Amino acid sequence: MNQKELTELRRRFRTDRSGISRIYGCYVNDAHEIVSQFDQSLGLMPQEESEKFLSVLKKVLSGSLGKNLMDVSFRTEQVVNSDEHRLLMTLRDSALKDADARQRLFQTVIDALTLEGSYLILLAHDAYDVPFRAKDDSRLEDASEEVYTYFLCAICPVKHAKAELAYCAEEKEFHNRAMGSVAAAPALGFVFPAFDDRRANIYGALYYSHSTADLHQELMDAVFHTDALMAPDDQKSNFQAALSGALADDCSLDVVQSVHEELRERIAIHRQSKEPEPLRVTASEMSSVLKSSGATDAQAATFEQRCNEEFGYSAQLDPANLIDSRRFVITTPDVVVTVKPESSHLVQTRVMGGKKYILISADEGVEVNGMGINIQP
């Protein structure tokens, strides 16, 4: 899925646009036991309540592609004949009305998921009559070539509210009252099938994780049985390890600055272009960037080989997962210096009198704890 398709799908989650008619749920306690299950009609709910359900479901489509939202790909043999894909297709084709299939999915999630505390599993089915899009990108709402039917799963941590002083209107007094259990925003979720090229792709799904550090691979293994996806935080640390390992003692500030600036510039250009397809770089491209930044051919080749081993051959990487494009941070055991990325050239390293120093150009506007100071010659 690209950004345009994601945005188009997100617009569905309004009471006047959504084709969702029912919400199915399973409440699981912290002992991994089912507390209750429910089947609620969205049309019979008060508007405020139905809007809240749609808002929670919509959050499964929030965040950034390649970061919080990741494409899941099924192998051909899975689509042809596998229990996991057959279950997903049954749920989708029955519009979630198959109670046995719903129960199997609920139990699959419960048996696999290591999420701490209690949580709520929500399921919703939608049928989207996809408007025709002309060459000038205009949409013809009354012309359609495709009906995209899909279901969405959201897994929401449940927080148990503490007793608070609450106002009692009948008594016109405040009393100690517990407000019950509250479903938080989704921590995990997925959409099946994927919405690729503005049509259903049963060879794919879209997986959501609020955390970029822990994708809960155990859930993906249980539901999809596909190859493991690397968390964005792991991508960053593995990229840095490949870079520092290839350069060894030649891993200088200048080289790191140059690589960071090249990736930051690509991210900025892609953002300005409003190109819907995600920005990607290969290990081979990054090897060329490294050479242009001062690395030797041997170092660039070592870096490329390390990337291939870590990410897989011909892997396409999101630059936003490899660097922090919003800041440039220099850390020592005792000092942390944060610099605007576009101003990283103001930082230099020097060896003077046998000691290593980090130098920062500071001609004017220098403050310490908010107080302006003068640097004496």
Side-chain angles (χ1 to χ4, degrees):
M1 289 176 67
N2 62 37
Q3 190 58 50
K4 275 188 178 180
E5 291 160 349
L6 179 63
T7 301
E8 185 174 352
L9 204 55
R10 280 173 55 83
R11 293 196 184 105
R12 295 284 299 160
F13 290 83
R14 286 174 32 179
T15 52
D16 59 337
R17 292 184 179 180
S18 171
I20 296 172
S21 61
R22 309 199 71 79
I23 301 289
Y24 300 92
C26 180
Y27 179 25
V28 184
N29 65 18
D30 52 8
H32 305 286
E33 299 167 336
I34 296 176
V35 177
S36 66
Q37 297 188 50
F38 59 85
D39 168 4
Q40 294 179 235
S41 169
L42 204 69
L44 296 179
M45 294 179 190
Q47 183 172 349
E48 186 177 351
E49 188 173 320
S50 62
E51 287 176 351
K52 190 63 180 176
F53 267 112
L54 290 175
S55 176
V56 169
L57 293 170
K58 182 179 179 179
K59 286 184 171 62
V60 172
L61 298 172
S62 63
S64 304
L65 288 168
K67 211 173 189 72
N68 306 93
L69 294 162
M70 285 143 288
D71 290 319
V72 174
S73 298
F74 293 101
R75 300 182 300 278
T76 301
E77 56 268 28
Q78 282 184 286
V79 176
V80 173
N81 184 24
S82 72
D83 291 338
E84 62 274 8
H85 197 273
R86 192 177 298 112
L87 173 59
L88 295 173
M89 289 297 293
T90 299
L91 289 163
R92 179 241 197 171
D93 294 342
S94 70
L96 297 174
K97 294 177 182 177
D98 189 318
D100 289 339
R102 289 201 312 270
Q103 194 63 43
R104 275 186 285 147
L105 179 63
F106 288 150
Q107 201 59 54
T108 298
V109 172
I110 294 167
D111 290 343
L113 191 57
T114 59
L115 197 66
E116 290 186 7
S118 54
Y119 56 87
L120 173 65
I121 308 171
L122 293 176
L123 296 176
H125 178 273
D126 185 22
Y128 176 31
D129 199 4
V130 183
F132 176 78
R133 180 172 284 167
K135 290 183 179 180
D136 61 358
D137 217 28
S138 62
R139 288 157 49 110
L140 303 177
E141 299 293 342
D142 57 350
S144 173
E145 295 181 320
E146 177 85 9
V147 176
Y148 169 55
T149 58
Y150 66 99
F151 76 92
L152 181 147
C153 174
I155 302 173
C156 309
V158 172
K159 299 179 180 179
H160 303 289
K162 296 179 180 179
E164 302 284 355
L165 286 174
Y167 182 67
C168 178
E170 294 81 5
E171 301 176 27
K172 297 183 179 180
E173 295 174 344
F174 280 82
H175 294 282
N176 194 36
R177 299 282 174 82
M179 304 305 290
S181 301
V182 179
L188 301 161
F190 66 89
V191 173
F192 177 83
F195 187 50
D196 294 335
D197 296 324
R198 303 184 72 234
R199 64 183 64 236
N201 174 17
I202 63 171
Y203 284 79
L206 187 69
Y207 183 78
Y208 168 80
S209 174
H210 176 73
S211 169
T212 58
D214 185 4
L215 303 183
H216 284 276
Q217 184 64 45
E218 75 279 2
L219 178 64
M220 284 188 281
D221 290 342
V223 176
F224 305 123
H225 291 215
T226 53
D227 294 336
L229 299 176
M230 187 179 293
D233 288 5
D234 291 337
Q235 291 180 36
K236 183 178 181 181
S237 60
N238 288 346
F239 173 77
Q240 292 173 340
L243 187 59
S244 60
L247 294 174
D249 292 340
D250 293 329
C251 189
S252 66
L253 175 63
D254 290 342
V255 174
V256 173
Q257 280 176 323
S258 179
V259 171
H260 189 278
E261 184 57 30
E262 172 67 25
L263 289 175
R264 192 180 72 85
E265 186 175 346
R266 291 192 185 201
I267 292 170
I269 292 173
H270 182 266
R271 187 177 293 124
Q272 291 171 1
S273 71
K274 297 187 180 346
E275 171 62 42
E277 294 298 329
L279 176 63
R280 295 290 183 263
V281 294
T282 64
S284 177
E285 287 180 275
M286 289 310 305
S287 176
S288 298
V289 169
L290 198 55
K291 281 194 284 188
S292 66
S293 300
T296 65
D297 289 347
Q299 288 170 333
T302 300
F303 168 76
E304 184 173 349
Q305 179 61 30
R306 284 176 179 249
C307 283
N308 287 333
E309 291 171 357
E310 290 291 344
F311 303 110
Y313 287 84
S314 70
Q316 303 252 332
L317 305 174
D318 183 349
N321 291 344
L322 306 181
I323 65 166
D324 186 342
S325 62
R326 295 168 296 181
R327 59 180 188 158
F328 193 83
V329 182
I330 301 141
T331 305
T332 74
D334 300 308
V335 178
V336 177
V337 180
T338 303
V339 186
K340 292 180 180 178
E342 62 271 19
S343 302
S344 66
H345 64 278
L346 299 176
V347 183
Q348 301 177 23
T349 55
R350 288 286 186 275
V351 178
M352 297 182 290
K355 289 189 175 183
K356 300 173 183 178
Y357 291 89
I358 296 171
L359 303 182
I360 303 173
S361 177
D363 290 332
E364 57 183 18
V366 180
E367 295 184 355
V368 175
N369 293 335
M371 182 181 298
I373 64 167
N374 293 317
I375 300 177
Q376 302 297 328

